[in-house]
Amino acid sequence: CARYMHSCCKLGNKVIIMGGKYQKTVLNDVWMFDSESYRFSLLAPHVDTDINDTFPEKQCPAAHGHQSVIVGQFLIVFGGNLRKGYSD
């Protein structure tokens, strides 16, 4: 897949990849790449709606051009463009 405008964070020997675009499709998937086994795993992250009720479906929003950072056990995603518009 020629994904672009996604975010990518390193966590030990793993890399977490979230969202982005493929052709004209905005993606909401989250993948983990293990650099030791050279395998990708599709993750099913939990969206904390106690903080923000913008996404009541508890799925990651389809986003591109965003940034992310890992803090402890959390992947925090901010900014970028959502399928429905812009995010702050």
Side-chain angles (χ1 to χ4, degrees):
C1 165
R3 179 184 302 250
Y4 62 101
M5 296 186 73
H6 56 280
S7 64
C8 186
C9 292
K10 183 177 180 297
L11 179 63
N13 67 329
K14 297 174 174 51
V15 177
I16 309 299
I17 302 161
M18 189 269 173
K21 291 182 85 173
Y22 172 68
Q23 296 178 351
K24 293 184 179 183
T25 303
V26 181
L27 306 170
N28 73 333
D29 53 350
V30 180
W31 290 86
M32 179 177 64
F33 176 72
D34 186 318
S35 64
E36 290 181 358
S37 67
Y38 294 103
R39 293 182 184 241
F40 282 93
S41 302
L42 180 61
L43 303 180
H46 169 77
V47 175
D48 191 343
T49 57
D50 293 335
I51 295 172
N52 185 345
D53 62 359
T54 305
F55 309 107
E57 62 275 357
K58 295 192 177 193
Q59 294 178 352
C60 288
H64 65 284
H66 56 282
Q67 298 292 318
S68 62
V69 64
I70 294 176
V71 177
Q73 65 181 14
F74 299 99
L75 177 69
I76 300 172
V77 180
F78 52 95
N81 302 303
L82 303 177
R83 196 177 280 164
K84 297 177 183 175
Y86 292 93
S87 174
D88 292 329

